[in-house]
Each structure stands twice: as C-alpha cells, then as structure tokens.
Amino acid sequence: MSKRAYNFNAGPAALPLEVLTRAQAEFVDFRETGMSIMEMSHRGKVYEEVHHEAESRLLSLLGNPEGYKVLFLQGGASTQFAMIPMNFLSAGKTASYVLSGSWADKAVKEAKLIGETHIAATSEADKFMSIPDLSSIEIPENAAYLHVTSNETIEGTQYQQYPQTGNVPLIADMSSDILCRQLDVNQFDFIYAGAQKNLGPSGVTVVIAREEMLADSPKHIPTMLRYSTHLKNDSLYNTPPSFSVYMVNEVLKWIEEQGGLAGVEQANRKKAGLIYDIIDSSEGFYRGPVDAGSRSIMNVTFKLASEELEKQFIKETEQAGFVGLKGHRSVGGLRASIYNAVPYDSCKALVDFMADFQKSHG
C-alpha cells in the first residue's frame, strides 16, 4: 500500500485505517451473503441487524441514557438547520440561538425563514474568536428551545461547558465534535451531527434526542421533514444511506476499542496539546487567534505573520504529504482538523514540520 497521507481535512475527514481495512475485506461479500451491503435490501434481516446495532452501539457509548432515541437521517446538518424550527418552533414561540460563528450563523438564517428568532448571546464583537460566556446567555420566556453549536469548525472554538436551560429544551449541533470527549447526554434534549467528521463517511446525519421531542411533529410539514415519521419507522421510512450507516457502526466499534469516550478524549487532548504547545512556544511566529479558554480540540486554527508566508507553508506541507491545512476561505489562515481518527503520529509529524519551517523562515 502506498504511504497514507497526513490527512487534516475538515470534512469529509480521516477515517480509522482499521475501519477502512475491515470494510475493504467485507466490501464484496458481506457476512457470506454473496452481496455487498450496498446491494442488499434495507428491508432485509441482514441490513436491519447492522442498522439496529449502530443505534444501540451509539447509545451504549453515551452511557445508555434513558428515554433517548437515535435517528439516521439524510441531508446533513444543513437540513437539520431547517427541520429543527419546522418541527419545534410553533406560533407564539421564539427560537433562541447562541451565535458563536459561521455554522451557528447558518442555523440562525434557516430558522429566520420559519419563524421568530432571538440571539441569546454572541461573540461577534471579537470576530467569533471565543465561545460566548455562558453567564451572558439570555433565553426569552417564550423560547421554543436554545440552540448551540458545540464546536465551530471554521473558527476553531469549542464549548468547554454547556448552558443550563431549565425547562427550555437544549439543542446542540455537534457535527464536528460528537464523541470526541465524554458527554452527559442528559444535559441535552436533542443532539445532531453530520457523520463525516467523527462518525463515518458523508451521507448520514445522526440525531440523538429525547423520544418525546421526536414523537409529535406538526402535521402541516412534509412527511420526510417530520421527526415523527423517522421515529415511527425506525429511520427506515425511505431507503437509508445503508453503506454510511454500516460505516458508522464500524467506527463506533473502533471507538469502543480505543477505550470508549474516555480513551478517545485522552488521545484527542494529547494531540491538540502537542499542536497548541508549538504555537504557544513559537514566540509569535505562529499565532493562535482563538481565546485560550475556547480552544477546540478538534480544529486547531493558527496564523503566520503574512499571507505570503502562509501560502509558502501550504505549498511546503503539500510537498511533504500533508493534506487539508489551509484555513477556511472565510477566515483565512491555517487549520489542522484533528478528529478522532487522525493518528497521534500525523500530529507529531505536523509539529516537527512546523518546527523546521520556523527554523528556515523565522
């Protein structure tokens, strides 16, 4: 096999090599059926077993919280931005959002198309380089829910704690940091995540929510956009993205093998610490723009003294086998996305490269 790239893509992102190898072995003939899992009916016993296994494995990794259900949906987190207000924002209610960056902003824009919205807190004044202080969050009395974006992939910020919302449902977009650390699911009423960062390949979106949130969707919205449709049909109302669900199940097995969320969190903090350390000890050659208390352990963003130098950095990293280190076009700079499946060795290689680059360009 040719050498694996040092993959720091923001999503679709690195998948565990062990998972890819297992999938490769089962690709043509799944469980001696003479078919690939991609070729079989989603109504058949073999696929349904995988589907249910993935649901229960996900809940088990989260400590089997009582009263929660898993849905496998399509359309990415971007469809959830609209589905959430369509299902939960009723007349006379307000959808409340913490505006923490680019992805939160997209969620707000979709909610505005549906009904009354409110910004509970924002860090716009510091260009979203921090997560708003939890004590600054103001939830209106008629709030349908409070929505937070757990990790801002583009800016490189992440919640360290989550707000207490009392009787108001707390909804979280965890697309870019789900299962990266230990999590008390009971704090949330509804969590959603596109799979293509920490859960598997693109094509499936996971929802973990209290069953009562999902059970009673408004009848005036299209069938496919009601959570109740997918709950009643166990996410098999229409053809699911079966290969993506299979891959999620395999990734979840791999997380179990890493020691579950505690093991994964330890590895992630070690990887992130390595990169933040070289940024902080570079005497300003590398600059981490994010407020220290809001730094993400999934997306490490940093800048150099000039755009020219950043272009040179990208050029040299690409020649050295690194992929995906260019910052998002909306914020520029550089970004290393170090999701669960990015190996420690890739982060170590990056840090060694950064040290050499500073020596030759500092």
Side-chain angles (χ1 to χ4, degrees), residues 254-287:
W254 176 83
I255 292 174
E256 288 171 347
E257 289 156 10
Q258 309 312 301
L261 297 191
V264 162
E265 176 170 0
Q266 196 180 0
N268 286 334
R269 293 201 182 279
K270 198 173 158 195
K271 292 185 310 193
L274 199 63
I275 304 173
Y276 284 123
D277 282 350
I278 194 160
I279 292 169
D280 293 342
S281 63
S282 70
E283 295 177 346
F285 183 79
Y286 297 107
R287 192 169 55 78

Side-chain angles (χ1 to χ4, degrees), residues 37 40-55 70-74 204-205 223-224 226-246:
I37 191 152
M40 57 184 62
S41 166
H42 63 291
R43 305 277 177 218
K45 185 171 171 285
V46 178
Y47 173 73
E48 283 200 1
E49 266 174 24
V50 172
H51 189 90
H52 295 138
E53 213 178 283
E55 289 171 346
V70 170
L71 303 180
F72 294 127
L73 307 177
Q74 294 172 68
V204 64
T205 304
T223 310
M224 275 295 287
R226 293 178 210 157
Y227 292 115
S228 57
T229 301
H230 302 288
L231 177 69
K232 279 187 200 112
N233 294 280
D234 196 18
S235 305
L236 295 164
Y237 175 76
N238 69 327
T239 310
S242 51
F243 186 71
S244 297
V245 173
Y246 155 76

Side-chain angles (χ1 to χ4, degrees), residues 3-56:
K3 186 173 177 287
R4 298 269 295 159
Y6 297 123
N7 184 354
F8 294 97
N9 276 328
L15 284 161
L17 182 57
E18 299 93 317
V19 168
L20 294 171
T21 310
R22 279 178 219 165
Q24 183 182 37
E26 296 182 328
F27 192 70
V28 175
D29 184 3
F30 184 67
R31 296 186 184 171
E32 296 177 347
T33 56
M35 292 180 280
S36 171
I37 191 152
M38 290 197 287
E39 300 177 283
M40 57 184 62
S41 166
H42 63 291
R43 305 277 177 218
K45 185 171 171 285
V46 178
Y47 173 73
E48 283 200 1
E49 266 174 24
V50 172
H51 189 90
H52 295 138
E53 213 178 283
E55 289 171 346
S56 61

Side-chain angles (χ1 to χ4, degrees), residues 33 53 76 112 136 144 165 170 172 184 247 270 295 300 303 313 323 334 356 360:
T33 56
E53 213 178 283
K112 279 183 174 166
S136 71
T165 57
L170 179 60
D184 177 11
M247 286 294 282
K270 198 173 158 195
R295 280 176 162 180
V300 179
K303 291 186 179 296
F313 183 91
V323 176
L334 303 155
D356 291 343
S360 51

